[in-house]
Amino acid sequence: MTRYSIFSLARNAMGYHRSWPRAWRSPQPRPSYDIVIVGGGGHGLATAYYLAKEHGLSDIAVIEKGWLGGGNTGRNTTIIRSNYLWDESAHLYEKSLKLYEGLSQELNFNIMLSQRGVLNLAHNEHDLKELSRRVRAIRLNGIDSEILDPQGVKAEVPIANISPSLRYPILGASLQRRGGIARHDAVAWGFARAADARGVDIVQNCEVTGIDIADGRVQGLETTRGRIAARKVGLVAAGHSSVLAAMAGLRLPIESHTLQAMVSEPIKPVLNSVVMSNTVHVYVSQSDKGELVIGAGMDGYNSYSQRGSFQIVEGQMGALIELFPIFSRLSLLRQWGGIVDVCPDASPIVGKTPVDGLFINCGWGTGGFKATPGSGWVFAHTIARDRPHALNAPFALERFASGVLIDEHGAAAVAH
Amino acid sequence: MLLIPCPWCGARDESEFTCGGEAHIRRPADPDALDDAHWADYLFMRANPKGSHRERWCHSHGCGRWFNVERDTVTHGIVSVYRMGEPPPGGDGS
C-alpha cells in the first residue's frame, strides 16, 4: 500500500497525478477462505480490517453483490454520536466514536471527521425532562453531554429562532460536542484499502445465492461467481439480512423499510452543527460542500425498493421549514432511499447464530453509520474467538427469547 | 405513492392508510404450553420476504377498517386485496 502523505501528493503532482496506484485490488474469488464476510459496506469492511489487524488473520474475503459502500454506507446522513440511554448501547456506540476519533490516522485515509457537535432540541416540558434524564444517564457512562438553555442553543445555532411564541418553541437542547459528521464513502474506502493491504480479498459484483450447511455447521456459500468454501461466515447485509438468514433456515426479528434522506443545493456556511428535533421530526447538518443534509422519513411498510414515497419528502420539507424558515427558498438537489433493517427494540443484533460458524451483524436500522468501526471491531472479535466481546454480548439474537431487550427507540434522531 | 384498493371504499392514496405488518400470524392456541423460543418466534420473528408479502392494512383516514393486501416488496405492485377472515387468493394463509 502506498502511504498517502504530503510527499506522495507532491511526487504525484509532478507526474500530473497519472501514477496513483489503485487503492485496493480486484481479485477473482478463490474457491476457499478461512472467513468470508458477506456485505461490502462499512460494517463488513471494518469487520475484515479488524479481523486482520486485531486477530492476525488474513485468509479472509469480503464479498459484495454490488459495489463497495453502495448500500446504506453511501446513503446515510453521515452523523456520528454516542448519546444513547442504556449502558449497553452507550458503551458500544462510545467504543465506535473513540475508534472514529483516531480512524483517519489509523487507516491513512482522510475520513473528514468533523466533531462539530450534535444538538437534540426540546420543544415542550416533556422534551426537557426527557433530555435531562438522557444527559444524566449518558454522563454517568462517562460520555460527554450537556444541557443548553435557549440562549445556549442560539450561540451554537445562530439561525435558530428562540422566541417563546412559536408553535414549537426551542426551550433547550442536549449537546454532545464530540458528535459530528464524517465522509461516509471515505469510511468504506479507507477500511477497504487498509483491509486489502493486510491481504483481505475484496470481491465486488458477487451475490450470495445460497448458504451450504451440513451437520449444523456452515460449509461455504453459493455465489454468482461460483462456490466459495469457508470455515466461518459473517453476514453483514443490513436491509437484506432476512433474505440471507432465510438461506440458512433462520428467521430474524427484522423488518426492512425504506428510509429517505435528501440534500439541498449548496449554500454558504449557515449551520455549524448537527441539529435534531424529534418533536418537529427533522435533522439537518451542512456538508463541507455546502449542501444541507436532511433526514429522515421512513415508509411505514416493508420494502426492498430503495426508493421512498413522495409524501415522505413533502413531510420532511414541512418539518425543516417549520424549524428553519430561512431554508424555505432552497431547492432540493436530490433525494434517495436506503433499505434499513429495523429490530423491534431499535437495537442491533451482533453475535452467533444457531448454525456453527455462521455469525450475524444486522438490525442497525436507522442509525448504523455511527457504529461502523465499533460494529466491525466487536464482530471481528466474535468471529475470531467464537464468542462475543463483552461490548456486544447483550446484543445477541437470544435476547428476543430471554426478553432482555435494549429499547433504544428514544435514541433515534427522530421517531421512526 | 401507492394507490391502495380498499375493499369498502375503492382506490385511495397511500397516505390514508396505515400498514399493520405481516398478516396471518396466528395467536398460539395454547399459550401456557409455549416455550421461550416459540414465544420469541410468535412475538418478534417475521418473514420479511423480498418479493410477495401478505400484510394487514387499515384505512385509518377513511372507513377505519382492516383488510389484507398481498404486495410485492420490490416493485410495490399490489397483487390482491381481501377482507379479514377471508383466505388469501392463491392459497395457504396459515
Side-chain angles (χ1 to χ4, degrees):
Chain A
M1 181 174 88
T2 313
R3 255 192 94 71
Y4 295 153
S5 68
I6 186 71
F7 302 109
S8 69
L9 186 64
R11 196 164 53 245
N12 279 281
M14 301 285 196
Y16 298 97
H17 296 293
R18 281 181 299 219
S19 318
W20 284 106
R22 282 178 176 272
W24 54 83
R25 298 163 295 130
S26 189
Q28 287 294 323
R30 296 206 305 267
S32 167
Y33 289 93
D34 186 27
I35 300 170
V36 175
I37 304 298
V38 181
H43 290 236
L45 293 163
T47 304
Y49 169 73
Y50 289 115
L51 275 169
K53 183 193 168 229
E54 303 285 342
H55 305 281
L57 303 166
S58 62
D59 190 15
I60 303 165
V62 177
I63 61 176
E64 162 58 45
K65 73 171 178 170
W67 66 95
L68 292 191
N72 294 347
T73 299
R75 293 166 191 267
N76 57 71
T77 47
T78 80
I79 297 163
I80 293 168
R81 57 189 172 87
S82 61
N83 52 354
Y84 278 67
L85 177 65
W86 300 110
D87 295 353
E88 297 86 349
S89 323
H91 295 154
L92 182 58
Y93 289 98
E94 178 63 9
K95 170 73 183 173
S96 191
L97 178 51
K98 284 191 170 138
L99 288 169
Y100 261 125
E101 286 174 329
L103 205 58
S104 288
Q105 287 75 20
E106 179 174 347
L107 300 178
N108 180 230
F109 202 102
N110 187 2
I111 63 160
M112 298 169 72
L113 176 67
S114 166
Q115 291 177 292
R116 56 183 65 182
V118 173
L119 286 92
N120 291 77
L121 302 182
H123 299 281
N124 52 50
E125 195 59 32
H126 171 78
D127 283 358
L128 275 178
K129 285 181 178 161
E130 178 63 18
L131 279 187
S132 170
R133 173 199 182 208
R134 285 182 170 276
V135 164
R136 283 170 168 77
I138 292 161
R139 290 172 70 107
L140 282 173
N141 275 315
I143 298 169
D144 75 300
S145 194
E146 59 197 89
I147 293 269
L148 300 179
D149 61 10
Q151 283 69 33
V153 175
K154 185 78 180 169
E156 294 292 326
V157 188
I159 59 169
N161 184 349
I162 56 168
S163 159
S165 61
L166 299 179
R167 184 178 178 195
Y168 299 106
I170 295 173
L171 301 181
S174 70
L175 169 62
Q176 184 179 22
R177 292 191 188 273
R178 287 164 62 239
I181 58 173
R183 173 88 199 277
H184 49 3
D185 299 319
V187 173
W189 298 337
F191 274 123
R193 176 166 166 272
D196 177 88
R198 290 177 180 269
V200 174
D201 276 4
I202 297 167
V203 184
Q204 302 180 66
N205 298 310
C206 180
E207 183 170 357
V208 171
T209 54
I211 300 176
D212 293 344
I213 295 166
D215 302 326
R217 184 165 183 92
V218 73
Q219 309 290 322
L221 300 163
E222 303 293 341
T223 79
T224 51
R225 295 179 69 175
R227 185 176 190 281
I228 301 174
R231 197 168 62 84
K232 292 179 179 177
V233 171
L235 305 178
V236 201
H240 280 70
S241 295
S242 296
V243 177
L244 279 171
M247 292 178 192
L250 302 175
R251 275 160 62 80
L252 296 177
I254 280 179
E255 289 194 339
S256 297
H257 290 263
T258 304
L259 182 67
Q260 289 192 76
M262 51 216 78
V263 294
S264 75
E265 60 186 317
I267 52 174
K268 290 192 174 178
V270 65
L271 186 61
N272 191 41
S273 40
V274 183
V275 179
M276 302 177 161
S277 167
N278 197 345
T279 296
V280 182
H281 207 276
V282 65
Y283 51 91
V284 58
S285 66
Q286 189 172 20
S287 76
D288 291 339
K289 280 191 288 185
E291 303 155 336
L292 296 179
V293 184
I294 306 150
M298 191 164 79
D299 282 336
Y301 47 84
N302 291 23
S303 173
Y304 286 86
S305 73
Q306 290 189 323
R307 60 190 159 78
S309 297
F310 183 73
Q311 80 272 13
I312 301 288
V313 182
E314 204 175 20
Q316 199 60 72
M317 287 304 99
L320 178 73
I321 303 312
E322 177 69 39
L323 197 58
F324 296 119
I326 188 178
F327 296 144
S328 65
R329 295 173 72 180
L330 284 182
S331 300
L332 272 191
L333 201 61
R334 59 185 184 275
Q335 58 76 232
W336 63 90
I339 305 304
V340 296
D341 40 341
V342 180
C343 261
D345 59 354
S347 284
I349 299 164
V350 187
K352 303 174 74 163
T353 70
V355 179
D356 282 346
L358 186 68
F359 301 82
I360 194 152
N361 183 348
C362 65
W364 292 95
T366 60
F369 175 69
K370 69 176 83 67
T372 304
S375 157
W377 194 89
V378 296
F379 198 42
H381 185 283
T382 308
I383 294 173
R385 308 275 176 90
D386 253 327
R387 57 188 152 78
H389 188 274
L391 284 173
N392 68 309
F395 295 92
L397 187 54
E398 291 83 41
R399 75 175 185 270
F400 296 95
S402 67
V404 189
L405 303 184
I406 304 164
D407 179 7
E408 286 290 3
H409 284 100
V414 298
H416 291 292
Chain B
M1 186 180 289
L2 305 179
L3 192 61
I4 300 173
C6 170
W8 287 274
C9 310
R12 299 291 183 89
D13 277 355
E14 168 194 334
S15 49
E16 292 185 17
F17 296 84
T18 310
C19 183
E22 187 175 332
H24 307 300
I25 296 174
R26 287 254 170 85
R27 191 175 168 77
D30 184 6
D32 292 338
L34 236 51
D35 62 15
D36 288 350
H38 284 91
W39 269 118
D41 195 74
Y42 165 68
L43 288 172
F44 299 121
M45 303 300 161
R46 295 292 178 264
N48 195 24
K50 185 176 185 178
S52 180
H53 188 224
R54 285 171 181 148
E55 54 201 13
R56 301 169 303 171
W57 284 78
C58 180
H59 194 182
S60 39
H61 299 292
C63 62
R65 299 179 84 164
W66 286 91
F67 57 98
N68 295 305
V69 173
E70 184 178 359
R71 185 180 60 88
D72 189 299
T73 57
V74 181
T75 66
H76 292 179
I78 291 173
V79 182
S80 61
V81 172
Y82 52 102
R83 297 184 183 192
M84 281 295 165
E86 286 182 0
D92 187 30
S94 59

